[in-house]
Amino acid sequence: MSTQDAYPIDVEAIRADFPVLDRNVGGDVTTPGEGEDDTEPLVYLDNAATSQTPKAVVDSIVDYYYSYNANVHRGIHQLSQEASVAYEEAHDTVADFIGADGREEIIFTKNTTEAMNLVAYAWGLAELGEGDSVVTTQMEHHASLVTWQQICKRTGAELRFIEIDDEGRLDMEHAAELIDDSTEMVSLVHISNALGTINPVEKITEMAHEVDAYSFVDGAQSVPTRPVDVGEIDADFLAFSSHKMLGPTGIGVLYGKEHLLESMQPYLYGGDMIRKVTYEDSTWEDLPWKFEAGTPSIAQAIALDAAIEYLEDIGMANVQAHEELLAEYAYDQLNRYDDVTIYGPPGDDRGGLVGFNVDGVHAHDLSSILNDFAVAIRAGDHCTQPLHDTLGAAASARASFYVYNTREEIDALVEAVDDARQLFA
Amino acid sequence: MGTGSDMYRQQILDHYKSPRNYGELEDPDFSHTGENPSCGDTIQMDVKLDEDNEEIEYVSFTGDGCAISQASASMLSERLVGMTLAELEDLETDDITDMLGVTISPMRIPCAVLGNQVAKDGAKIYQGELDPEDYGETITEE
């Protein structure tokens, strides 16, 4: 094997764990699954939207439903106890994975968006008011941007946006200007889902703490792709989604420092989050259950546990190294074309995704042509409409990579992009 | 790898690169705009009727966006000439995809039908069947 062929991880063995990577595409889309008219091998480069699922994760779901499906925290019977233990231990696994102090700091939500909304409603509505400010960035996902925008409208707080420079990095001088004594919260994305920028979340958190503000880190793109330690960042809140890290949809995570979560009122009321209820009043269960009202996503929590186990077997530092290798390779290959504009920082300093446009080709046309080549990418505004206004592009194409992707798949992407260039030339 | 791009046969690329009847009419009988938010496509259709106000005499369009939306509007601007407003009202999605001559994937249908929907809504506003207050702009979505 030459150095060119070497990967930091055993990609071939990993690929064998993902049945979907064997499927062909190209045919009728109205019937799900592979059909006779699907003839081209899938090249899946849309991992920043959602990742694929290894057998071990699907097996954990099957195992739960086939052998210990029961509601949690309710029954004295054995199945309920088994399900409760597995569900609760999933919190411990997540806590270990991101360096939290314990399950009290890990709240399961539906996704990153709900985790954002939980803090915005439970903390923001109670604490924000006229004269306060929330500082965020120009590159936020709508999950963060729209949430803070609307909470600020309701509370009278001011929402401020840290600007980005020509390479898609945060203007730190502007950040220093915006984060002042009025600031109560600094909410920023760790890795931009549109630009691939890796933001200095530790530094920004430090700046927030200097003015007694809290920091909320959107880890949707970072937690799946690199080691993230909440202790090192010292973030007050961190959110991420299972389905971008080999787990199922329907479950996300809110990390919060225990004393903050203790001080916050519940966001959703109902079963499972209460300790004592009378007709007149109620008291709340301990953390994290206080914030997990109703029957939770039990199978999904157990499957997230399995996904984390799978990622830890690979090693998150290795996952990061593979991401960086593919991002740089894709950046360099696409950057050879003068009529291809790549957004964000250079190839050697970005998360595992490349957002780009081809002159004269709308991103959706590009995506359709790539689809004809069996290459799955995302095209659109990537839930970052204001950022696209700043970039001066209605939409962009985005290829995003994960542990099972190869240089050959990026070659297929580049070949298809070249075909589109020529078609529209 | 793939066999090329079925959705982008020569005719569509030709209309995209060299749009027909591109521009604004000086005194249209009606003019209407629309948007397909998923692609950010915009289209304005200007229509001039014959002296009986029944048959379409001239059509022009302006717009910005993906090849499917712009080529479809360009082809439609030729197709509509000589049609009555009643015939325009009967134009369905299938007629548009037939006109384009390619299979349009479900996600791209809003792009393909944008020009047609703009022309139809414009005609209905002109005929007093739609309130322009409610239909200031046509939106096509999946």
Side-chain angles (χ1 to χ4, degrees), chain A residues 8 60 70 126 141 151 159 193 201 216-217 229 231 307 315 324 350 354 384 416:
Chain A
S60 74
H141 189 283
I151 292 295
L159 183 59
N193 71 315
V201 288
F216 191 133
V217 175
D229 187 299
E324 287 172 350
R350 53 166 54 234
V354 179
T384 55

Side-chain angles (χ1 to χ4, degrees), chain A residues 29-30 40-41 43 360-362 364-370 372-375 379-381 385 394-395 412 415 419 422-425, chain B residues 1-10 12-13 16-17 36-41 64-69 105-108 111 142:
Chain A
V29 296
T30 57
E40 301 294 330
V43 175
V361 187
H362 191 285
H364 282 193
D365 291 326
L366 185 65
S367 183
S368 287
I369 291 164
L370 264 52
D372 290 340
F373 280 78
V375 177
D381 58 43
Q385 283 178 16
E415 188 194 338
D419 189 80
Q422 292 178 30
L423 206 56
F424 277 78
Chain B
M1 289 313 300
T3 52
S5 298
D6 295 340
M7 240 163 73
Y8 297 87
R9 294 229 178 94
Q10 208 52 48
I12 287 185
L13 288 170
Y16 177 60
K17 291 175 190 171
N36 163 30
S38 80
C39 276
D41 306 323
D64 193 19
C66 71
I68 303 295
S69 68
S105 64
M107 294 282 289
R108 305 302 301 281
C111 316
E142 289 153 43

Side-chain angles (χ1 to χ4, degrees), chain B residues 31-56:
Chain B
S31 174
H32 190 55
T33 60
E35 186 181 357
N36 163 30
S38 80
C39 276
D41 306 323
T42 57
I43 291 286
Q44 174 180 324
M45 303 285 289
D46 293 0
V47 174
K48 179 79 185 156
L49 301 173
D50 69 355
E51 50 196 25
D52 299 328
N53 292 334
E54 275 180 10
E55 201 172 285
I56 295 169

